[in-house]
Amino acid sequence: MFGLPAFTTMVIIGVPALWVIYTGVFLWLSRGWKHEDAEEQR
């Protein structure tokens, strides 16, 4: 990519990709937290 070494290209693409995957997994796992909090307040 643009004459950069392969490792640099992997870092430029890989770090944001891992962050997007991490954020997606966190959002998927935390989707029921509001419902769980509502049950605890009863």
Side-chain angles (χ1 to χ4, degrees), residues 23-40:
T23 303
V25 169
F26 174 79
L27 291 174
W28 183 70
L29 291 174
S30 66
R31 69 189 186 281
W33 287 0
K34 189 174 185 179
H35 179 68
E36 290 175 7
D37 288 344
E39 287 179 356
E40 289 178 4

Side-chain angles (χ1 to χ4, degrees), residues 11-24:
V11 168
I12 290 172
I13 294 172
V15 171
L18 289 173
W19 186 254
V20 168
I21 292 168
Y22 171 82
T23 303

Side-chain angles (χ1 to χ4, degrees), residues 1-2 4-5 7 9 14 26 37-39 42:
M1 183 172 104
F2 306 115
L4 293 172
F7 176 76
T9 303
F26 174 79
D37 288 344
E39 287 179 356
R42 290 182 186 173

